[in-house]
Amino acid sequence: MPGPILIIGAGINGLVAAADLAARGKPVRVLERGPTPGGAVRTEELTLPGFRHDVAAMNLSMFAGSAFMAKHGPEMARHGMDFVPIPRPFAQALEPGDHLGISTDVEETLAGFASEADRATWRALMAEFPERAGVVGGLLGTPMRRGPLLRFLWQSWRKLGTAKSLDTARFLATSPRGWLDETFEDPRLRTALASWGMHLDFAPDIAGGAIFPYLEAMAGQALGMVIGKGGADVATRALVGMIEAHGGSVECNAEVERILHENGRVTGVIAAGEKIEASTIFAGLAPKHLRRLLGDGSGDRRFDRGLETFRHAPGTMMLHLALDAPVPWAAEALGRYAYVHVGRSVDVAATTYAEATAGLLPATPLLVVGQPTLFDPSRAPAGKHTLWVQARVVPATIRGDAKGEISARNWEDAKEPMTERILDLIAEQAPGFRRTILARTAVSPLDLEAGNPNLVGGDQICGSHHLSQNFLFRPLRGFADGSTPIANLQMIGAACWPGAGTGAASGFFAAQALR
């Protein structure tokens, strides 16, 4: 008798796949190397007791709007899934005291714009957003398989016509700066939107990155943001509860050591010294780790080489803070937003990216400052707060310091001075900020990888989304549907189309395709 469906990795994609399959009566067994499930969607007391910090992902908007939640939302709610809606999703801290924010109140958003022309452009973009979101969102929600992709392209062309279809294709290939320069007058607004590209390895001048600032801007305006009630791990706990309720299992401290296959077909795994048979395996692994577990290889030299040469994005450094009070922003309005990006201009962001990719500790890393307890006070003791800070982007391997101040060439020694650099950038925007800090925990790119090997070099998106490694080329040409040369071995996770984020589409695609 063939064994159950095995899923390697209890990240968001693996858990979504397992939950959907289990709900359909399929025998499912999830094997996770770490002590807890969730991957990048976990919440822990990283500083002081009672302060719950999201380890990596904080924003659950993609998960809330996912196809999985559309199908299973009521059951997830029964297992404790609960979201906190946020009407002011993000803002940009510019020159100290100046900011620009996006709110679901359009008049509030427009009041921060310096240009009347930009206000008119914003209204026009909002008006066309439902149509464009239907196309762009539809593409991101389409598996990269011949049938679904051809149907999507045909239907989109029928709906848009040739001219609009070509305009959309051009937009998908445009850099953030290219789109922003041709769309808006105010450099402050351009800066605020360009910051979103850095979340997915799109520096301002990288082709193909315009889509992300656009989607985050329009979705933030139209829908706001959601976070998990009590922590992002509410999603993980609900998924595990759903899997177990349908007879599946999630086993932690069960590291897979080898994927077994014979005659071009998967047969099982070796995990924690045990041989486990399986009829189908979903592998939620970074490409380098999938290649490692295949031993002598898949039998397809190009596929194996593609896994070995898959390119990861620069690293991220995390800083988790327990605070005695909210951040005392000089621009007081910043204390009303879930995310505050700290970065003064598009040019500074471009320089930061160039420094990091050259192996230099950036002089002014782009900061993403998350303020979850402003909206969900259950994450900290009464009157206290947590702060979630990402420094994007930083190198995994340090060759120098762009400011010439940090002599360390390894993260063990560089973590503390980089922490001070990050705190200085926040304090510049919030005088007195340091006096609010009760405790702090810094997490270097290599710490991130040690805790989750899929975050190679601290790459939180499991692979660059540049055009050469996106769409039909994610993770490599001919396998963008997650298939492999080994029958019944399926790739899932952020390294697969449609890429990073909590939407878990690759896991859901794989589960839906299994009949």
Side-chain angles (χ1 to χ4, degrees), residues 172 176 197-198 200-209 212 310-314 353 357 461 463-475 497:
L172 292 173
M198 299 282 275
L200 287 174
D201 193 32
F202 282 103
D205 300 300
I206 302 294
F212 301 106
F310 182 82
R311 191 172 68 82
H312 282 273
Y353 188 84
T357 54
I461 57 174
S464 171
H465 289 67
H466 294 182
L467 289 176
S468 62
Q469 199 170 269
N470 207 2
F471 300 103
L472 290 168
F473 305 101
R474 189 167 190 88
W497 171 260

Side-chain angles (χ1 to χ4, degrees), residues 442-455:
V443 185
S444 77
L446 300 189
D447 293 335
L448 284 170
E449 183 176 7
N452 182 348
N454 279 350
L455 308 182

Side-chain angles (χ1 to χ4, degrees), residues 159-477:
K159 180 179 180 180
L160 298 178
T162 299
K164 283 189 175 181
S165 295
L166 289 173
D167 287 344
T168 299
R170 177 182 179 274
F171 170 68
L172 292 173
T174 301
S175 71
R177 192 197 297 265
W179 176 66
L180 292 166
D181 280 355
E182 69 184 30
T183 305
F184 299 110
E185 293 181 345
D186 185 357
R188 297 162 59 256
L189 179 54
R190 295 175 189 167
T191 298
L193 301 189
S195 293
W196 279 105
M198 299 282 275
H199 284 246
L200 287 174
D201 193 32
F202 282 103
D205 300 300
I206 302 294
I211 182 175
F212 301 106
Y214 168 78
L215 285 177
E216 291 293 348
M218 293 294 101
Q221 176 69 81
L223 304 170
M225 180 190 289
V226 299
I227 59 176
K229 179 69 172 178
D233 67 340
V234 67
T236 296
R237 288 184 279 110
L239 286 165
V240 171
M242 184 174 167
I243 293 164
E244 293 177 345
H246 290 283
S249 66
V250 179
E251 303 167 35
C252 294
N253 298 310
E255 183 167 6
V256 172
E257 300 155 15
R258 183 76 176 271
I259 295 173
L260 305 175
H261 53 100
E262 294 179 5
N263 301 319
R265 181 173 295 274
V266 77
T267 60
V269 301
I270 301 293
E274 174 190 1
K275 181 177 180 180
I276 305 172
E277 294 185 349
S279 57
T280 300
I281 294 176
F282 290 178
L285 299 166
K288 66 177 284 186
H289 295 305
L290 176 59
R291 176 65 187 88
R292 174 175 55 83
L293 296 188
L294 290 176
D296 292 336
S298 67
D300 183 318
R301 185 174 180 180
R302 186 178 71 83
F303 176 81
D304 294 345
R305 179 63 175 159
L307 297 184
E308 293 165 359
T309 58
F310 182 82
R311 191 172 68 82
H312 282 273
T316 297
M317 180 174 171
M318 298 286 300
L319 192 58
H320 301 284
L321 302 173
L323 303 183
D324 192 40
V327 178
W329 298 105
E332 292 182 7
L334 291 174
R336 300 198 295 267
Y337 291 88
Y339 273 175
V340 176
H341 290 123
V342 178
R344 295 192 180 190
S345 72
V346 173
D347 289 335
V348 170
T351 299
T352 293
Y353 188 84
E355 290 169 349
T357 54
L360 302 179
L361 296 169
T364 54
L366 175 73
L367 303 185
V368 189
V369 180
Q371 306 182 105
T373 42
L374 295 177
F375 307 93
D376 179 14
S378 71
R379 296 176 178 224
K384 309 302 181 185
H385 291 271
T386 63
L387 207 67
W388 175 100
V389 183
Q390 288 184 330
R392 291 182 177 267
V393 287
V394 296
T397 301
I398 301 170
R399 297 189 178 92
D401 176 29
K403 290 186 78 173
E405 296 175 348
I406 300 174
S407 60
R409 296 297 178 265
N410 64 80
W411 273 106
E412 182 178 352
D413 296 329
K415 187 160 56 174
E416 183 60 24
M418 272 303 291
T419 295
E420 293 301 316
R421 183 170 294 178
I422 292 167
L423 294 177
D424 284 345
L425 288 171
I426 300 174
E428 185 179 37
Q429 300 284 345
F433 165 64
R434 284 178 177 271
R435 290 194 296 272
T436 71
I437 299 172
L438 298 172
R440 69 194 199 192
T441 296
V443 185
S444 77
L446 300 189
D447 293 335
L448 284 170
E449 183 176 7
N452 182 348
N454 279 350
L455 308 182
V456 177
D459 169 16
Q460 288 200 328
I461 57 174
C462 201
S464 171
H465 289 67
H466 294 182
L467 289 176
S468 62
Q469 199 170 269
N470 207 2
F471 300 103
L472 290 168
F473 305 101
R474 189 167 190 88
L476 69 154
R477 177 180 59 79

